[in-house]
Amino acid sequence: MRILFSSRIEAPERWLPLLQSLLPRDEFTVECSGEIDVAIVASPRPGTLGKLGNAKLIQSLWMGVEALLADPDLPRNVPLARLVDPGMAAAMTETVLAHTLDWHRRLYRYREQQKSRTWKRFRQYMASDHTVGILGMGALGTAAAARLLPLGFNVVGWSRRPKAIRDVKCSTDLSWVLSESHVVVCLLPLTAQTKGILNAGNLKKIREGGGLINCARGAHVARDDLIAVLDSGHLAHAWLDVFEKEPLPADDPLWAHPKVSITPHAAALTEPRTAVIEIAKNIEAVRRGERPPHLVDFSAGY
Ligand code: NAP
């Protein structure tokens, strides 16, 4: 097969040797010309998507596909696969655990106290005293839940369709999930339904003194509403990895907010060593004439 690799962000030198070693019979190209059977893309070069109408598969190199879906040139007749990368899921789980424990152990408050050399202990809680609410019980939400549970946290999860996940209280009722949660972790795809979902009304439903961890997309959070809810004291802290405008502009009030911890969209990066194995499996499925897993549902938007 002829496989195109097109990205303005991911370096082909990092990916192509790994892909070629798993798919030695296939021909790889970075130029979108001639017949293309499979296109591996992440922020592809302009004009690329419009030429892929005869491809058998478009494989995203990223888990979030909202930018591809928003491109009018994306051919809707070609299956589009999200990348579900175990290395990235592991990294995301670590980030969620780190921030959840930061809130649970009040480490963010001790860091603040250190600035004024204050020696003051806060009350200790057991993990079982606290509930983590995960918005989006997909590949990433499920992986995070599986590691939070053995630590002793209660886990509730929100998804679009009803779900049964062992030891997780799953619900399609957002208000219920938020009202149960001390810490809310956003791991939703960005769609018309989820944009701005973390607005004032919903943020206030989280338990008093709680925390917000947004590792999905910046547009899930109504920034000014979040600042108001933090300033009111209803939420204690927010850990934000993603922003509507990235890089976060230097004059954005979030940078200096004492109740906000910022990371530069680094919660989980694609890990080529594990990702190529999943990509190769998808390409082998296409070769056998099968549909690979994790195809995007164009009508649902993820
Ligand atoms: P996924 O497997 O597609 O799971 C998405 C979950 O969200 C599913 O449980 C889905 O419900 C739920 N959902 C979608 N729309 C909903 C709605 N309207 N109401 C309620 N639940 C809804 O996605 P994933 O692989 O876990 O990735 C999630 C997102 O993480 C990606 O889209 C990307 O934006 C983000 N991400 C961020 C980083 C980072 O570094 N910050 C890295 C990777 C990914 P159903 O189960 O019913 O379908």
Side-chain angles (χ1 to χ4, degrees):
M1 285 205 285
R2 207 154 172 270
I3 302 174
L4 169 73
F5 183 98
S6 179
S7 177
R8 283 173 287 174
I9 294 174
E10 301 283 344
E13 314 82 79
R14 260 184 105 209
W15 288 88
L16 289 181
L18 292 168
L19 285 164
Q20 191 80 73
S21 70
L22 291 176
L23 300 161
R25 288 183 289 156
D26 295 318
E27 179 195 339
F28 286 85
T29 174
V30 291
E31 297 302 331
C32 189
S33 57
E35 190 121 325
I36 299 292
D37 297 298
V38 175
I40 301 171
V41 299
S43 188
R45 292 202 218 144
T48 303
L49 292 174
K51 295 183 192 159
L52 298 175
N54 292 325
K56 299 181 184 79
L57 177 70
I58 298 176
Q59 168 72 61
S60 168
L61 266 188
W62 294 335
M63 291 177 101
V65 288
E66 73 282 356
L68 284 173
L69 291 175
D71 192 321
D73 290 339
L74 179 77
R76 305 260 155 176
N77 59 317
V78 179
L80 169 65
R82 295 189 317 117
L83 179 62
V84 176
D85 168 19
M88 184 188 254
M92 183 62 85
T93 296
E94 289 164 5
T95 298
V96 170
L97 291 182
H99 295 334
T100 301
L101 291 170
D102 201 38
W103 177 83
H104 170 67
R105 298 299 311 165
R106 309 294 192 247
L107 302 180
Y108 65 99
R109 294 180 74 182
Y110 290 125
R111 281 196 299 276
E112 197 58 32
Q113 282 193 167
Q114 188 177 345
K115 291 181 189 159
S116 56
R117 300 173 186 232
T118 302
W119 185 275
K120 181 184 161 207
R121 278 190 200 132
F122 299 112
R123 181 180 158 186
Q124 175 169 283
Y125 292 90
M126 293 172 68
S128 57
D129 294 326
H130 288 144
T131 298
V132 182
I134 301 179
L135 308 187
M137 287 304 291
L140 297 177
T142 308
R147 292 299 178 98
L148 287 162
L149 288 166
L151 291 179
F153 290 104
N154 307 297
V155 179
V156 296
W158 186 55
S159 55
R160 188 168 59 93
R161 295 162 292 188
K163 274 205 142 78
I165 300 172
R166 201 172 166 196
D167 296 329
V168 178
K169 287 188 187 160
C170 295
S171 173
T172 55
D173 179 347
L174 178 61
S175 295
W176 180 81
V177 169
L178 295 173
S179 64
E180 286 289 303
S181 303
H182 295 94
V183 173
V184 166
V185 182
C186 181
L187 288 172
L188 289 164
L190 186 63
T191 66
Q193 287 71 38
T194 64
K195 191 167 187 235
I197 195 131
L198 291 163
N199 53 27
N202 282 331
L203 290 168
K204 284 183 202 158
K205 291 176 187 162
I206 302 171
R207 293 214 205 178
E208 179 115 43
L212 173 70
I213 300 170
N214 185 19
C215 289
R217 289 291 183 258
H220 286 125
V221 176
R223 184 199 64 177
D224 293 346
D225 289 8
L226 173 63
I227 291 175
V229 173
L230 289 166
D231 288 344
S232 75
H234 181 76
L235 287 187
H237 204 83
W239 289 260
L240 305 177
D241 184 58
V242 282
F243 304 90
E244 280 218 60
K245 190 158 191 290
E246 295 182 3
L248 184 63
D251 60 356
D252 195 290
L254 290 171
W255 275 117
H257 199 288
K259 294 181 176 177
V260 173
S261 295
I262 288 175
T263 45
H265 200 143
L269 308 179
T270 305
E271 176 54 64
R273 288 168 296 175
T274 52
V276 289
I277 297 168
E278 302 308 308
I279 294 173
K281 278 191 215 161
N282 287 356
I283 291 173
E284 292 302 353
V286 170
R287 206 191 310 278
R288 291 192 300 272
E290 296 167 9
R291 281 170 73 79
H294 309 300
L295 291 184
V296 171
D297 175 344
F298 288 104
S299 60
Y302 65 98

